[in-house]
Amino acid sequence: MTLEEVQQIIDNGPYLSWLGLKVLDLGEDSIEVKATWRPEWVANPKLTQTHGGILAALIDFGADFALVKNIGRPVPTIDMRVDYHRLAKPGNLIVKGKVIKFGKQFSVSEARIYDEAGALIASGRGTYITAPAPEAAK
Amino acid sequence: MTLEEVQQIIDNGPYLSWLGLKVLDLGEDSIEVKATWRPEWVANPKLTQTHGGILAALIDFGADFALVKNIGRPVPTIDMRVDYHRLAKPGNLIVKGKVIKFGKQFSVSEARIYDEAGALIASGRGTYITAPAPEAAK
Amino acid sequence: MTLEEVQQIIDNGPYLSWLGLKVLDLGEDSIEVKATWRPEWVANPKLTQTHGGILAALIDFGADFALVKNIGRPVPTIDMRVDYHRLAKPGNLIVKGKVIKFGKQFSVSEARIYDEAGALIASGRGTYITAPAPEAAK
Amino acid sequence: MTLEEVQQIIDNGPYLSWLGLKVLDLGEDSIEVKATWRPEWVANPKLTQTHGGILAALIDFGADFALVKNIGRPVPTIDMRVDYHRLAKPGNLIVKGKVIKFGKQFSVSEARIYDEAGALIASGRGTYITAPAPEAAK
């Protein structure tokens, strides 16, 4: 799967499109993506920080799509964990996903989110169904 | 904090408003909320399932706001876990949050998401800063 | 699977035996077990609290064995989360496991640990492989 | 804190001693430790694999003690996640802990467990209280 094909999957997905994701780099077991800030991301209008649910979506995306070049498709998430390290001020975010363990039945990946100044905003990991069966049921 | 005050916090928050959250019930250690489906929630346009990042945001919201009546304000999330049980078809979702342990420094809450037919879609839990200090930095 | 059969699995397992586990109750989607304190459980000799790794083992056990009556055997753990609520003083512990979602491929269960006075010490949840295939490898 | 001081904390702790932990390397934000196998670690006597609760204890230890050189003491665990990648056959294990984010109130660390052949057995991460207050209450 090429970077262009991954970008097309994103552009076809309503929520991934809404997150304004642009693939910057695609490796055998990694991905780097930019997410484009939008005003709807704000949690508390006084603090103007990006909502944790947006960060969780980016962790899930980054961990999942770190597998995509090798597996050939986005895969269903079984579960995930997100750790919040800093409040994210308004601005684009960089997501870096990396595979921890490829497995026949399921795989584990991690992702980290940075702001444009390079500060670590959040990190996490998830477990993904990578069995060949195309069934998406969980 | 009353149900109306909680609804106002939601209505003032850009992302919580975007999730179309309506508080149905507010207890001492629990909350029940309806989230209003919108087309941007769709992950894969063929499967039309709601994206896991939306579900993660709802788990975080439900677990956090289960604490709100007792603590008197929404609190910063330290970390959370989400388990995905079923694909969510287009439609509104019901989120039920419940406190597991109130603590002086931080507290643990859980949440479950159901579709309108009552099927369990996702569940999870998070840890929240409930220390009196109003500092939101993590 | 009967309570006696579950107790026999425990008694045949070196680590489960070492934890001194006695099944108190076995339900369709639940289990209650007593763990017998031993001096090796202590983390810090000044605080005398039970080590978090013992509590993690009990969470994993309780969540796994809540599935055992229905599935007919203990199942491999994919991943788990543990939340620590209070220091556990020397003494036996009660573990209560409960299934959150039975699934064909994998299932999610939770467990809570109480001291003998009924205080909540720790809680958590895990994902387990419940596919019929007897392969334990992951 | 020196490697020898860390080893002494381990040797003074009943459960850490029971795990047979030997510090191999101590860095500013990392630690490497060997755990010495013992027969009580076995989960299922037919498969002879090390129980997941032992692996969970090692993840917690490795993540916690990656902070120890910088913080100056072991710190209370708030919560943790463990992912199981392979069954561990009888034999010693190598644990590598590394800090993800130092924080004033709490910090996040990860750890990976390898067998003596270098295969990744389990990995995980935890959140730790690193506030200066020596209160151990959670």
PDB file of all heavy atoms in Angstrom, chain A residues 56-68:
ATOM      1  N   ALA A  56      -7.690  11.122  21.407  1.00  0.00           N
ATOM      2  CA  ALA A  56      -7.909   9.670  21.406  1.00  0.00           C
ATOM      3  C   ALA A  56      -8.119   9.155  19.983  1.00  0.00           C
ATOM      4  O   ALA A  56      -7.594   8.093  19.611  1.00  0.00           O
ATOM      5  CB  ALA A  56      -9.115   9.321  22.279  1.00  0.00           C
ATOM      6  N   ALA A  57      -8.867   9.898  19.186  1.00  0.00           N
ATOM      7  CA  ALA A  57      -9.085   9.493  17.793  1.00  0.00           C
ATOM      8  C   ALA A  57      -7.763   9.471  17.025  1.00  0.00           C
ATOM      9  O   ALA A  57      -7.515   8.573  16.212  1.00  0.00           O
ATOM     10  CB  ALA A  57     -10.075  10.445  17.114  1.00  0.00           C
ATOM     11  N   LEU A  58      -6.905  10.445  17.318  1.00  0.00           N
ATOM     12  CA  LEU A  58      -5.609  10.512  16.620  1.00  0.00           C
ATOM     13  C   LEU A  58      -4.680   9.380  17.069  1.00  0.00           C
ATOM     14  O   LEU A  58      -3.916   8.836  16.259  1.00  0.00           O
ATOM     15  CB  LEU A  58      -4.953  11.878  16.845  1.00  0.00           C
ATOM     16  CG  LEU A  58      -5.704  13.067  16.241  1.00  0.00           C
ATOM     17  CD1 LEU A  58      -4.987  14.373  16.597  1.00  0.00           C
ATOM     18  CD2 LEU A  58      -5.852  12.931  14.719  1.00  0.00           C
ATOM     19  N   ILE A  59      -4.715   9.016  18.360  1.00  0.00           N
ATOM     20  CA  ILE A  59      -3.918   7.880  18.841  1.00  0.00           C
ATOM     21  C   ILE A  59      -4.398   6.601  18.140  1.00  0.00           C
ATOM     22  O   ILE A  59      -3.589   5.808  17.637  1.00  0.00           O
ATOM     23  CB  ILE A  59      -4.042   7.729  20.375  1.00  0.00           C
ATOM     24  CG1 ILE A  59      -3.359   8.902  21.093  1.00  0.00           C
ATOM     25  CG2 ILE A  59      -3.470   6.388  20.838  1.00  0.00           C
ATOM     26  CD1 ILE A  59      -1.853   8.938  20.986  1.00  0.00           C
ATOM     27  N   ASP A  60      -5.707   6.413  18.116  1.00  0.00           N
ATOM     28  CA  ASP A  60      -6.258   5.215  17.472  1.00  0.00           C
ATOM     29  C   ASP A  60      -5.878   5.184  15.996  1.00  0.00           C
ATOM     30  O   ASP A  60      -5.435   4.157  15.473  1.00  0.00           O
ATOM     31  CB  ASP A  60      -7.784   5.214  17.632  1.00  0.00           C
ATOM     32  CG  ASP A  60      -8.419   3.958  17.041  1.00  0.00           C
ATOM     33  OD1 ASP A  60      -7.786   2.882  17.067  1.00  0.00           O
ATOM     34  OD2 ASP A  60      -9.567   4.056  16.555  1.00  0.00           O
ATOM     35  N   PHE A  61      -6.022   6.311  15.340  1.00  0.00           N
ATOM     36  CA  PHE A  61      -5.668   6.381  13.923  1.00  0.00           C
ATOM     37  C   PHE A  61      -4.187   6.062  13.706  1.00  0.00           C
ATOM     38  O   PHE A  61      -3.825   5.248  12.850  1.00  0.00           O
ATOM     39  CB  PHE A  61      -5.988   7.771  13.356  1.00  0.00           C
ATOM     40  CG  PHE A  61      -5.428   7.959  11.982  1.00  0.00           C
ATOM     41  CD1 PHE A  61      -6.087   7.450  10.875  1.00  0.00           C
ATOM     42  CD2 PHE A  61      -4.206   8.602  11.797  1.00  0.00           C
ATOM     43  CE1 PHE A  61      -5.547   7.582   9.604  1.00  0.00           C
ATOM     44  CE2 PHE A  61      -3.656   8.736  10.532  1.00  0.00           C
ATOM     45  CZ  PHE A  61      -4.326   8.228   9.434  1.00  0.00           C
ATOM     46  N   GLY A  62      -3.324   6.696  14.462  1.00  0.00           N
ATOM     47  CA  GLY A  62      -1.878   6.521  14.265  1.00  0.00           C
ATOM     48  C   GLY A  62      -1.429   5.102  14.535  1.00  0.00           C
ATOM     49  O   GLY A  62      -0.603   4.542  13.800  1.00  0.00           O
ATOM     50  N   ALA A  63      -1.968   4.496  15.597  1.00  0.00           N
ATOM     51  CA  ALA A  63      -1.586   3.122  15.940  1.00  0.00           C
ATOM     52  C   ALA A  63      -2.115   2.148  14.888  1.00  0.00           C
ATOM     53  O   ALA A  63      -1.406   1.223  14.458  1.00  0.00           O
ATOM     54  CB  ALA A  63      -2.110   2.772  17.327  1.00  0.00           C
ATOM     55  N   ASP A  64      -3.336   2.368  14.444  1.00  0.00           N
ATOM     56  CA  ASP A  64      -3.958   1.497  13.449  1.00  0.00           C
ATOM     57  C   ASP A  64      -3.221   1.590  12.107  1.00  0.00           C
ATOM     58  O   ASP A  64      -2.825   0.575  11.513  1.00  0.00           O
ATOM     59  CB  ASP A  64      -5.427   1.925  13.281  1.00  0.00           C
ATOM     60  CG  ASP A  64      -6.285   0.914  12.545  1.00  0.00           C
ATOM     61  OD1 ASP A  64      -5.762   0.235  11.644  1.00  0.00           O
ATOM     62  OD2 ASP A  64      -7.483   0.815  12.846  1.00  0.00           O
ATOM     63  N   PHE A  65      -2.984   2.810  11.650  1.00  0.00           N
ATOM     64  CA  PHE A  65      -2.403   3.004  10.320  1.00  0.00           C
ATOM     65  C   PHE A  65      -0.891   2.756  10.273  1.00  0.00           C
ATOM     66  O   PHE A  65      -0.309   2.712   9.192  1.00  0.00           O
ATOM     67  CB  PHE A  65      -2.779   4.379   9.770  1.00  0.00           C
ATOM     68  CG  PHE A  65      -4.151   4.403   9.131  1.00  0.00           C
ATOM     69  CD1 PHE A  65      -5.304   4.273   9.906  1.00  0.00           C
ATOM     70  CD2 PHE A  65      -4.301   4.527   7.751  1.00  0.00           C
ATOM     71  CE1 PHE A  65      -6.576   4.285   9.321  1.00  0.00           C
ATOM     72  CE2 PHE A  65      -5.565   4.541   7.154  1.00  0.00           C
ATOM     73  CZ  PHE A  65      -6.698   4.423   7.948  1.00  0.00           C
ATOM     74  N   ALA A  66      -0.268   2.573  11.443  1.00  0.00           N
ATOM     75  CA  ALA A  66       1.131   2.103  11.430  1.00  0.00           C
ATOM     76  C   ALA A  66       1.191   0.672  10.887  1.00  0.00           C
ATOM     77  O   ALA A  66       2.229   0.222  10.394  1.00  0.00           O
ATOM     78  CB  ALA A  66       1.721   2.160  12.835  1.00  0.00           C
ATOM     79  N   LEU A  67       0.063  -0.037  10.965  1.00  0.00           N
ATOM     80  CA  LEU A  67      -0.023  -1.423  10.494  1.00  0.00           C
ATOM     81  C   LEU A  67      -0.398  -1.507   9.023  1.00  0.00           C
ATOM     82  O   LEU A  67      -0.302  -2.580   8.411  1.00  0.00           O
ATOM     83  CB  LEU A  67      -1.094  -2.177  11.294  1.00  0.00           C
ATOM     84  CG  LEU A  67      -0.821  -2.438  12.780  1.00  0.00           C
ATOM     85  CD1 LEU A  67      -2.131  -2.583  13.552  1.00  0.00           C
ATOM     86  CD2 LEU A  67       0.029  -3.691  12.941  1.00  0.00           C
ATOM     87  N   VAL A  68      -0.834  -0.407   8.430  1.00  0.00           N
ATOM     88  CA  VAL A  68      -1.571  -0.485   7.163  1.00  0.00           C
ATOM     89  C   VAL A  68      -0.691  -0.889   5.982  1.00  0.00           C
ATOM     90  O   VAL A  68      -1.152  -1.597   5.084  1.00  0.00           O
ATOM     91  CB  VAL A  68      -2.323   0.848   6.903  1.00  0.00           C
ATOM     92  CG1 VAL A  68      -1.413   1.912   6.332  1.00  0.00           C
ATOM     93  CG2 VAL A  68      -3.541   0.627   6.029  1.00  0.00           C
TER      94      VAL A  68
END
